[in-house]
C-alpha cells in the first residue's frame, strides 16, 4: 500500500540553523505531495505542496522538491526561527476513481524545536 | 484559504456519556469530510470518510457504532462518540474538501473522558 516515511524527531536546532527533514514515499501511481505543520494544540496547516515530478513547493522560507527518481520530498529551510518550532507532517494523496475525495496518507511527523 | 471550524475546541465528559463534535466548512461546500484521531506525539489516524448525504466509510478497526458520523449538509459533519470511555480521550481533527481538491483542516477538538 501507499506509505510515507519521515525522519524521527525531535530535531533540535539553534536559531538561524539550516533545516532538513527527510521524507520518502511509496505509492502506486503519481501522487501529489504535501508538507503540513501543526503548532501546539492546533490542527494542521498546509505548508507547501507539489503535484508532479520536479515541482518545487515553497512557502514562508520552506522548500521541498518532488523527486520521482528517489521518491523523496525533503523539507528544507535555510534559517530557522524559534517560531518554526512545531510538528511537521509529510503526506501524499492519489486520485480516487469514485469521486470520494482525496484521501491523505501521513508520515509519522517530525517535531522541530528551535532554541534561541 | 478555506476555513474549517470545529466545536467545541475542548470537552470533558464523564465515562458512559456521549459527546458530539461539529465540523463546519465556513466558506466553501464540502463534498467530503474526513475525521482523524491523533494520540499524543503521534501522527493522524484516519477514522472515517463521509460524503454529504451518504453513509460514512470507516477505516478498519474503527467501531462505527461507537463513532457515529453524520454529514447532513455540504457544510456540516458531526462526530458523536457514544458511551465514551477514558481510552477515547484524544485529539480529534476534521478536514473538508470539495471533490478531488485539497483538504482543509479544522483546529481540532481535545476530548477528555473522566
Amino acid at each position: 500500500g501507499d506509505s510515507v516515511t519521515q525522519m524521527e524527531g525531535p530535531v533540535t536546532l539553534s536559531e538561524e540553523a539550516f533545516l532538513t527533514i527527510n521524507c520518502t514515499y511509496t505509492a502506486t501511481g503519481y501522487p501529489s505531495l504535501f508538507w503540513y505543520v501543526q503548532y501546539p494544540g492546533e490542527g494542521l496547516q498546509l505548508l507547501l505542496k507539489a503535484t508532479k515530478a520536479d515541482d518545487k513547493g515553497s512557502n514562508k522560507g520552506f522548500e521541498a522538491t518532488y523527486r520521482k527518481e528517489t521518491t523523496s520530498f525533503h523539507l528544507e529551510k535555510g534559517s530557522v526561527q524559534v517560531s518554526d518550532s512545531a510538528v511537521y507532517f509529510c503526506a501524499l494523496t492519489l486520485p480516487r476513481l469514485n469521486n470520494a475525495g482525496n484521501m491523505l496518507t501521513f508520515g509519522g511527523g517530525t517535531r522541530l524545536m528551535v532554541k534561541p | 484559504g478555506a476555513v474549517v471550524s470545529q466545536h467545541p475546541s475542548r470537552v470533558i465528559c464523564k465515562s458512559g456519556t456521549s459527546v458530539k463534535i461539529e465540523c463546519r466548512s465556513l466558506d466553501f461546500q464540502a463534498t467530503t469530510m474526513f475525521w482523524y484521531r491523533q494520540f499524543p506525539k503521534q501522527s493522524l489516524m484516519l477514522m472515517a470518510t463521509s460524503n454529504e448525504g451518504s453513509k460514512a466509510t470507516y477505516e478498519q478497526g474503527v467501531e462505527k457504532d461507537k463513532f457515529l458520523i453524520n454529514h447532513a449538509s455540504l457544510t456540516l459533519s458531526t462526530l458523536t462518540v457514544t458511551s465514551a470511555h477514558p481510552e477515547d480521550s484524544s485529539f480529534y481533527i476534521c478536514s473538508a474538501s470539495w471533490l478531488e481538491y485539497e483538504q482543509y483542516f479544522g483546529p481540532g477538538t481535545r476530548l477528555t473522558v473522566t
Side-chain angles (χ1 to χ4, degrees):
Chain A
D2 306 326
S3 66
V4 177
T5 303
Q6 55 184 110
M7 59 191 293
E8 290 190 22
V11 173
T12 304
L13 296 173
S14 297
E15 207 165 21
E16 299 184 2
F18 185 86
L19 168 71
T20 300
I21 300 178
N22 290 337
C23 171
T24 57
Y25 68 90
T26 58
T28 52
Y30 301 96
S32 294
L33 302 174
F34 304 82
W35 277 100
Y36 286 88
V37 57
Q38 184 180 32
Y39 297 101
E42 299 183 13
L44 271 66
Q45 300 175 28
L46 178 65
L47 181 59
L48 54 85
K49 66 180 180 182
T51 58
K52 61 182 187 298
D54 299 326
D55 268 2
K56 177 186 284 187
S58 61
N59 185 28
K60 299 180 181 180
F62 290 90
E63 292 183 342
T65 301
Y66 189 144
R67 301 286 188 200
K68 185 180 175 185
E69 62 276 14
T70 55
T71 61
S72 65
F73 193 54
H74 305 321
L75 182 67
E76 297 182 336
K77 186 175 185 181
S79 176
V80 294
Q81 306 299 314
V82 173
S83 57
D84 294 326
S85 298
V87 180
Y88 293 81
F89 291 95
C90 186
L92 68 81
T93 188
L94 282 162
R96 298 178 76 180
L97 299 178
N98 60 358
N99 206 30
N102 50 343
M103 191 172 76
L104 284 163
T105 299
F106 286 94
T110 302
R111 182 175 300 277
L112 170 65
M113 295 189 294
V114 181
K115 297 184 175 180
Chain B
V3 180
V4 175
S5 70
Q6 280 184 244
H7 178 79
S9 58
R10 291 176 178 270
V11 57
I12 300 172
C13 70
K14 292 187 176 181
S15 188
T17 63
S18 296
V19 62
K20 180 184 288 187
I21 302 170
E22 292 186 350
C23 177
R24 293 182 185 272
S25 56
L26 298 184
D27 51 4
F28 69 103
Q29 292 183 325
T31 51
T32 306
M33 286 187 170
F34 304 82
W35 286 96
Y36 297 86
R37 183 173 180 178
Q38 186 179 32
F39 293 99
K41 298 185 179 182
Q42 294 188 25
S43 189
L44 281 71
M45 180 191 78
L46 180 66
M47 298 174 67
T49 304
S50 73
N51 293 305
E52 184 265 339
S54 61
K55 289 184 178 180
T57 301
Y58 290 82
E59 296 300 301
Q60 192 171 11
V62 178
E63 298 176 61
K64 60 182 179 182
D65 294 332
K66 179 165 188 62
F67 298 99
L68 301 179
I69 292 172
N70 183 286
H71 191 166
S73 77
L74 285 171
T75 59
L76 173 65
S77 176
T78 60
L79 167 67
T80 301
V81 183
T82 62
S83 187
H85 288 93
E87 57 265 30
D88 298 325
S89 298
S90 193
F91 194 53
Y92 292 89
I93 302 175
C94 75
S95 69
S97 69
W98 168 256
L99 298 178
E100 299 292 317
Y101 295 98
E102 180 181 325
Q103 285 186 40
Y104 295 93
F105 286 81
T109 297
R110 183 160 303 284
L111 169 63
T112 303
V113 185
T114 60

